[in-house]
């Protein structure tokens, strides 16, 4: 089984500009994630397998719609093999949301 990148597992992520982001706390509430993802000042990183992609502001509503069924109500989540882990990272006073998608 390949070992894919996981900033959440590692607790740290260094972006292409050399900025070191550190995991903030543990599990982050869905209400906070929604608010952060909608904030254009917050970076959003979507990790799927070995693809790490910064999500532009124009695509964030679509990302929220994609992950909402999996995290809003875990008892009613879709019956497929997809899962999402969400975390907040900090670099000084700046925030970044990391969305790790697995299947």
């Amino acid at each position: 089984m390949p070992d894919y990148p996981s900033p959440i597992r590692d607790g740290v992520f260094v972006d292409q500009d050399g900025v070191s982001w550190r995991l903030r706390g543990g599990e982050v509430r869905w209400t906070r994630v929604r608010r952060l993802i909608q904030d254009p000042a917050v970076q959003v990183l979507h990790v799927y397998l070995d693809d790490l992609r910064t999500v532009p502001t124009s695509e964030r509503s679509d990302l929220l719609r994609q992950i909402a069924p999996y995290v809003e109500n875990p008892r009613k989540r879709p019956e497929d093999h997809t899962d999402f882990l969400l975390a907040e990272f900090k670099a000084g006073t700046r925030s970044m949301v990391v969305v790790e998608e697995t299947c």
Side-chain angles (χ1 to χ4, degrees), residues 23-100:
L23 181 64
R24 178 183 182 262
E27 188 173 331
V28 61
R29 290 181 315 207
W30 172 239
T31 54
R32 179 158 177 80
V33 168
R34 278 195 333 246
R35 188 171 62 252
L36 288 170
I37 287 179
Q38 293 171 349
D39 183 344
V42 173
Q43 292 189 45
V44 177
L45 180 70
H46 183 203
V47 180
Y48 178 68
L49 300 176
D50 61 352
D51 182 38
L52 286 80
R53 182 176 83 84
T54 300
V55 181
T57 307
S58 62
E59 297 177 16
R60 294 181 185 185
S61 292
D62 291 339
L63 180 62
L64 282 170
R65 277 192 294 279
Q66 180 186 359
I67 64 179
Y70 296 88
V71 296
E72 278 185 329
N73 188 346
R75 294 177 191 212
K76 292 186 175 185
R77 55 177 294 162
E79 294 290 327
D80 60 15
H81 297 286
T82 303
D83 197 12
F84 292 92
L85 294 175
L86 309 170
E88 182 180 357
F89 281 65
K90 297 291 271 187
T93 59
R94 300 180 339 182
S95 292
M96 175 173 66
V97 173
V98 174
V99 177
E100 292 187 5

